Amino acid sequence: MRKNKLGTIVIAAVLVLLSLSTMSCSSMKKAPRERNETFIADVNAFDVEVFHLYTTLNMGKPKISDFSVYFAPRTNYLFINGRVGADQIRVGFDYKERQSITAAVNKYLADYEAGTIPNAKPTKKNAYSKGDVLIEWGMVGLSHEVDTTYITNAQYLEPDKPYFRIFFNSATEEGEEYVNSPRVSIFISPSQWEKIVEACNQERLVEMTDAILEEANAF
């Protein structure tokens, strides 16, 4: 009788411990983070596409540069990475900046279709949009970084070809009096924008992220 009672107590104790363990594990599990403008998924950055675009460095002549584009789901940033002149540069655009540039591109395309883009020097006064970004650069690697501003305009590279221009202002690196970011312009034509929008729109970036999650969670 005494043995049975002792056995019952032991079993009850084990059940209580198992219950507490289960509750503890359940409380340790974090609820899935909701998607928003600064987070899509806990997934590493991945390549999206490569584009070949005209660029200028400072006041130089336009030359073709290759830009690799990749997406970081953890921050919802889209990065462009390429070499302009002697420098490698990388610029990251958050979701709000991409929305701002999209609105500017739509205005540019409407003006282009209407034939109303004047052949004028691009300035702040005739800018489609402006914004702030972090730019990284360096000759060997990305050894410098600074917050800078950019503006978007239309600029004619040929008499009948007004390109959409993204111009990144030069800024001085904090604590480095003589270290300034490169003054870079990137030129994008209407047909190039069509390819960029197709490859880099938010819906496709999310779909690519979901495909990675699906592959990782396949059982």
Side-chain angles (χ1 to χ4, degrees):
M1 183 73 179
R2 196 172 173 185
K3 288 184 179 179
N4 290 339
K5 190 173 182 180
L6 181 61
T8 301
I9 293 173
V10 171
I11 292 171
V14 170
L15 290 174
V16 169
L17 289 172
L18 287 173
S19 177
L20 290 173
S21 176
T22 303
M23 290 174 64
S24 176
C25 290
S26 298
S27 64
M28 290 175 65
K29 289 182 180 179
K30 294 182 179 180
R33 183 175 172 184
E34 292 186 4
R35 290 179 172 177
N36 54 45
E37 291 185 356
T38 60
F39 176 80
I40 300 300
D42 188 14
V43 172
N44 291 334
F46 56 82
D47 294 330
V48 178
E49 191 58 85
V50 176
F51 298 101
H52 314 287
L53 307 171
Y54 277 106
T55 62
T56 59
L57 180 63
N58 297 321
M59 300 300 290
K61 293 182 178 180
K63 295 183 178 180
I64 297 173
S65 296
D66 304 326
F67 289 97
S68 58
V69 178
Y70 64 95
F71 181 60
R74 290 191 180 97
T75 57
N76 200 7
Y77 262 75
L78 192 70
F79 290 90
I80 61 171
N81 186 57
R83 186 167 291 277
V84 181
D87 283 320
Q88 178 185 354
I89 68 167
R90 180 170 67 185
V91 184
F93 295 91
D94 63 19
Y95 180 75
K96 288 184 177 180
E97 292 296 345
R98 299 201 302 275
Q99 293 293 96
S100 175
I101 290 179
T102 298
V105 170
N106 289 337
K107 180 67 168 63
Y108 155 76
L109 293 175
D111 289 346
Y112 173 71
E113 289 295 329
T116 58
I117 299 178
N119 193 348
K121 181 179 179 180
T123 64
K124 290 182 179 179
K125 291 183 178 181
N126 60 23
Y128 285 117
S129 67
K130 60 182 179 180
D132 301 286
V133 291
L134 176 74
I135 185 170
E136 301 169 83
W137 79 98
M139 293 183 66
V140 178
L142 300 170
S143 53
H144 305 283
E145 65 177 42
V146 69
D147 291 313
T148 190
T149 58
Y150 72 88
I151 62 172
T152 65
N153 304 81
Q155 181 174 338
Y156 282 78
L157 296 188
E158 295 181 31
D160 59 341
K161 294 181 178 179
Y163 282 73
F164 185 88
R165 168 183 177 258
I166 306 176
F167 170 69
F168 300 97
N169 284 298
S170 180
T172 303
E173 187 174 26
E174 186 176 355
E176 300 289 345
E177 184 178 356
Y178 301 106
V179 179
N180 300 308
S181 61
R183 297 173 74 246
V184 174
S185 292
I186 300 176
F187 301 92
I188 307 172
S189 72
S191 62
Q192 289 168 337
W193 265 123
E194 184 177 346
K195 294 179 180 179
I196 291 172
V197 169
E198 182 180 355
C200 303
N201 68 80
Q202 186 69 10
E203 183 178 349
R204 180 171 186 260
L205 297 176
V206 171
E207 287 176 354
M208 294 175 76
T209 302
D210 287 340
I212 293 172
L213 289 171
E214 184 178 351
E215 182 178 342
N217 292 323
F219 190 80

